[in-house]
Amino acid sequence: MFVLHVALQGCLRGGGVVFGLTADTGGHIRYLLDLVAASSQDAGIARIVIATRLFHGALGPDYAVPEERISDKVTLVRLPSASPDYRVKEAMHAEVDSFARNLMGWIAAQPQPPDLIHAHYADAASVATLIEDALGIPFVFTAHSLGRVKAAMLGHGAEACPDLARRIAAEEGALARARLVVASSRDEAEVQYAGYAAYDPGRIRVLPPGSDLARFAAAEPLPRVDATIDRFLHEPGKPALLALARPVARKNLGALVRAYGESPALQARANLVLMAGTREDIDALDGDMAGTMREILVLIDRYDLYGRVAYPKTHGPEDVPALYAYARTRGGLFVNPALNEPFGLTLLEASAAGLPLVATDSGGPNDIVETCGNGLLVDPRTPDAIAAACLRILDDPTLYARCVAGGARAAAAYDWDRHAARYHDLLRALCVPTPPLADARQLLVCDIDNTLVGCEAALGIFRRWRSRQAGLAFGVATGRSFHSAMAILEQQASPRPQVMITSVGSEIYHLDPNGVTYTADAAWRATVSAGWDRAGVHAALSDLDGLVPQGPLEQRGHKLSYFGDAATAQRVRAALVRAGLAANVIHSHGLYLDVLPEAASKGTAVGHVRALYGLPERAVFVAGDSGNDVEMLRAQAQAIIVANYSDDLASNAALQHSYVARASHARGIIEGVGHFRRMLADAG
């Protein structure tokens, strides 16, 4: 496979990237180079080319070199466009047409065209759209950051800024045209993109980036690096609050300085270390970086923080592990106060180096902290919350140790090789589509957690068994959201479901003819929307004792999710009756409580799919393990309870018709299907 990456923004080169040199020379370049390095290790990838702009000027001669060989498989190609000079990202739209023409000329000169284009940022997607129109080469899209999110951070509509309005329009076009959209986090996939008219959740995949975390786990201090920081500080041995980010407005470094400056307790407890990009003269900084640096310096002066805040002018990529080690050896922590962080590679690096995290609750850090348990999330607009979280970790040795231990999980969870394997599977499937089964004769729908997955060996057996089941359509029914479910299925190399019933039956998605993306079931959405008063349900339950809301990402348009015991579930039902609100309350594992539209459940969703497929009831098998599967198991005659069940399913009077398997997890599914097929054969 030949993959062409297009990335117009920033100062891109094969090695030695000077991050922070310009306002757009940041994380997306790091992401791209790391992705390409991991991709090149796959024997099935024959060639990778990165296409970027060629420009001249004071930023250095490297960016005017037409071709740079990165490895045997990877080449960086620089092509001219209308302007010979460096262009800031806000002006890049003027280069799209000319760059696209030159890229098409370059493609025409190749022995064979790319199989697929991967566009990074919306301007690159605009280029890819022109190429697809002319040459028919499909493209996938990674936004890295979004204009609507920036507009929300600035607190005004996009119409107030023509550059931002133009960028958002380009992002709308990218979402409408891309064959697949690659997101880094659930927040990006489910919240940030949701504000776009072209938002289509079934065409988005969450593929968390990896990171070369081994070198950060082994990080040791360097006297040279220590000296550049210590010269600012009166007490350099105190714990360090380390921030590492370009000085741009959305990174919100000013709020961190305010948090520190307004907290005498935090000043007494720790120093603040700001590694804010690389600069020579502040006036020469690009974009809003000069203004951000001036804001930081004014705040340091206003709060008289001299001797307690370090802000070195420069550091190189090779210094970054030593910066984390500096903070670690002093018992410090890492702080990311960004208004929004699409992913947060620095969080993984710092965590691997042994630092607890205090991070923004907007964006990728939600996924990282949930997965690794390595820090605290805060509202980045509230300096008091930032200071309180820092003090909480610094003053609680048990919490500090728990956050440090969470860093060991980061390397396993966020690995570029795993990312590349999933990414390549998707690209290959797009290039050689395997359409869904057109004439299903039977349907199997099973829960995911602790039913389909939970035993690697059993899932391997299921994978082979599934490949031999002609005429059997396969689906899942889960409490997870679509993106959360898709991520775990692909991470576990599960067979791709033809139908996905998600969010405890409140949403249904069907596999598209390309065999990769999904389309939401509009008819089912209309069914569950009838009579559903989400705002009223939320208000009726807002003050109920013992009811604790789950995280923001678990709340859906047709699902409100809480923590609560069985007694709390009964109080929820009673409160809804008193309020005259129709809803379905699902309680599972003695802990999780979901409130859904009255028509929504896994059971009714399976019934909808069965009718859509035109199958008789005896042609449908369902399998589950817990309380949120009860509706599905009760509603279907051929119900399978796997041996590792919970919530006392086998004793549930409504499930006496179910087959309780002797085998657990996916083996139990196979056993149950075999049992019911034998019964059908005997009866026939």
Side-chain angles (χ1 to χ4, degrees):
M1 188 188 308
F2 173 12
V3 181
L4 171 63
H5 294 268
V6 180
L8 305 186
Q9 295 183 18
C11 298
L12 179 56
R13 58 191 188 191
V17 175
V18 183
F19 294 102
L21 179 64
T22 61
D24 56 354
T25 305
H28 79 284
I29 290 178
R30 173 74 177 278
Y31 174 110
L32 173 56
L33 293 175
D34 285 353
L35 170 60
V36 164
S39 288
S40 67
Q41 301 305 307
D42 187 327
I45 305 297
R47 187 182 182 195
I48 302 171
V49 172
I50 304 170
T52 191
R53 282 187 71 239
L54 182 149
F55 58 85
H56 303 269
L59 293 172
D62 291 350
Y63 311 112
V65 176
E67 186 170 308
E68 180 182 344
R69 189 81 166 169
I70 296 177
S71 72
D72 289 344
K73 287 186 182 180
V74 182
T75 305
L76 174 61
V77 173
R78 297 185 182 89
L79 299 172
S81 58
S83 171
D85 303 319
Y86 170 77
R87 299 298 295 263
V88 298
K89 58 186 176 182
E90 291 79 10
M92 196 64 72
H93 63 93
E95 308 301 310
V96 165
D97 288 346
S98 56
F99 185 88
R101 285 194 301 272
N102 289 332
L103 183 53
M104 281 187 265
W106 180 88
I107 291 171
Q110 303 308 300
Q112 63 181 57
D115 294 289
L116 190 136
I117 293 173
H118 190 154
H120 300 265
Y121 272 111
D123 43 37
S126 298
V127 169
T129 298
L130 293 172
I131 292 174
E132 183 174 24
D133 287 342
L135 305 179
I137 302 171
F139 75 93
V140 300
F141 173 56
T142 298
H144 295 285
S145 67
L146 290 166
R148 287 201 184 278
V149 175
K150 184 173 183 179
M153 289 190 296
L154 294 175
H156 58 66
E159 64 278 359
C161 177
D163 288 335
L164 203 50
R166 190 182 296 111
R167 173 181 171 181
I168 291 170
E171 290 166 349
E172 288 280 14
L175 291 177
R177 287 293 300 272
R179 302 294 176 93
L180 186 74
V181 177
V182 178
S184 292
S185 68
R186 280 184 63 199
D187 182 89
E188 184 182 356
E190 298 177 4
V191 178
Q192 296 176 41
Y193 279 118
Y196 286 79
Y199 177 59
D200 183 353
R203 288 194 297 115
I204 300 174
R205 282 295 204 282
V206 177
L207 298 180
S211 186
D212 178 15
L213 298 183
R215 71 189 186 102
F216 298 102
E220 294 296 335
L222 292 176
R224 170 181 56 80
V225 172
D226 290 1
T228 64
I229 299 171
D230 287 348
R231 64 192 176 91
F232 287 87
L233 305 172
H234 294 324
E235 300 178 72
K238 289 169 65 174
L241 310 178
L242 173 65
L244 177 66
R246 289 174 294 132
V248 293
R250 73 177 184 87
K251 294 298 185 180
N252 203 31
L253 293 175
L256 176 56
V257 180
R258 286 191 187 89
Y260 186 75
E262 294 172 5
S263 174
L266 191 56
Q267 293 173 43
R269 190 74 174 81
N271 292 317
L272 177 60
V273 178
L274 302 173
M275 305 305 299
T278 296
R279 63 189 182 277
E280 292 183 4
D281 187 324
I282 288 178
D283 290 335
L285 288 173
D286 182 55
D288 66 358
M289 293 197 293
T292 300
M293 279 308 308
R294 289 193 187 94
E295 177 194 19
I296 289 170
L297 295 177
V298 166
L299 290 170
I300 290 170
D301 189 75
R302 176 180 301 163
Y303 295 114
D304 193 17
L305 299 177
Y306 299 104
R308 284 166 284 180
V309 179
Y311 43 97
K313 294 182 66 170
T314 185
H315 67 278
E318 70 279 2
D319 297 333
V320 173
L323 293 171
Y324 297 133
Y326 176 94
R328 183 194 67 220
T329 57
R330 287 159 176 77
L333 49 86
F334 185 76
V335 187
N336 179 333
L339 293 171
N340 177 268
E341 186 61 65
F343 182 65
L345 286 175
T346 55
L347 297 177
L348 294 179
E349 295 169 355
S351 188
L355 288 174
L357 310 176
V358 171
T360 176
D361 64 0
S362 177
N366 284 282
D367 288 11
I368 292 173
V369 171
E370 178 184 0
T371 298
C372 302
N374 49 356
L376 300 176
L377 299 174
V378 295
D379 180 347
R381 294 173 174 80
T382 309
D384 286 352
I386 297 172
C390 292
L391 283 168
R392 182 180 166 193
I393 294 177
L394 291 172
D395 291 340
D396 184 342
T398 301
L399 175 60
Y400 192 100
R402 190 161 66 242
C403 292
V404 169
R409 290 187 281 274
Y414 298 96
D415 175 75
W416 272 119
D417 290 337
R418 293 176 64 187
H419 175 107
R422 287 184 60 201
Y423 170 68
H424 294 158
D425 284 346
L426 291 168
L427 297 192
R428 292 185 182 106
L430 284 173
C431 292
V432 185
T434 302
L437 184 63
D439 56 346
R441 298 189 298 275
Q442 291 183 318
L443 170 67
L444 166 64
V445 179
C446 57
D447 178 49
I448 296 177
D449 294 281
N450 296 313
T451 302
L452 179 64
V453 305
C455 174
E456 186 175 347
L459 183 56
I461 293 169
F462 180 88
R463 198 181 300 117
R464 294 187 291 275
W465 174 83
R466 170 75 187 94
S467 69
R468 300 190 297 270
Q469 305 305 305
L472 176 68
F474 166 59
V476 296
T478 178
R480 292 176 178 265
S481 70
F482 170 82
H483 295 103
S484 174
M486 201 75 251
I488 192 168
L489 290 171
E490 290 180 348
Q491 286 165 4
Q492 299 288 328
S494 162
R496 185 164 290 134
Q498 183 162 336
V499 60
M500 294 187 64
I501 297 168
T502 63
S503 298
V504 203
S506 61
E507 300 172 17
I508 301 176
Y509 296 84
H510 300 282
L511 187 62
D512 291 331
N514 64 21
V516 175
T517 61
Y518 288 78
T519 296
D521 190 318
W524 182 245
R525 175 175 284 273
T527 297
V528 299
S529 295
W532 171 239
D533 182 0
R534 187 184 190 281
V537 170
H538 183 269
L541 302 180
S542 59
D543 297 322
L544 204 63
D545 289 342
L547 190 64
V548 178
Q550 294 182 31
L553 287 178
E554 303 312 317
Q555 314 304 330
R556 310 287 294 171
H558 293 81
K559 177 172 77 78
L560 291 166
S561 294
Y562 302 90
F563 297 107
D565 58 19
T568 303
Q570 291 300 328
R571 289 198 298 274
V572 166
R573 293 186 179 97
L576 293 172
V577 170
R578 286 195 302 271
L581 294 165
N584 188 12
V585 180
I586 306 291
H587 189 247
S588 61
H589 297 288
L591 176 64
Y592 302 111
L593 200 156
D594 297 299
V595 184
L596 313 168
E598 188 175 31
S601 73
K602 290 183 179 182
T604 54
V606 170
H608 174 85
V609 174
R610 180 176 69 80
L612 195 65
Y613 285 16
L615 295 173
E617 186 173 341
R618 67 179 182 277
V620 179
F621 312 100
V622 295
D625 74 291
S626 72
N628 72 12
D629 300 315
V630 168
E631 297 286 340
M632 176 174 71
L633 297 169
R634 180 169 56 193
Q636 300 298 321
Q638 299 182 134
I640 303 159
I641 299 173
V642 294
N644 55 298
Y645 63 83
S646 61
D647 296 328
D648 205 23
L649 288 194
S651 301
N652 189 315
L655 304 182
Q656 293 308 297
H657 65 287
S658 301
Y659 175 75
V660 181
R662 294 183 298 277
S664 68
H665 300 96
R667 285 190 183 95
I669 300 171
I670 298 170
E671 178 188 329
V673 171
H675 165 79
F676 285 116
R677 281 177 170 170
R678 287 191 296 274
M679 287 184 62
L680 287 171
D682 292 343

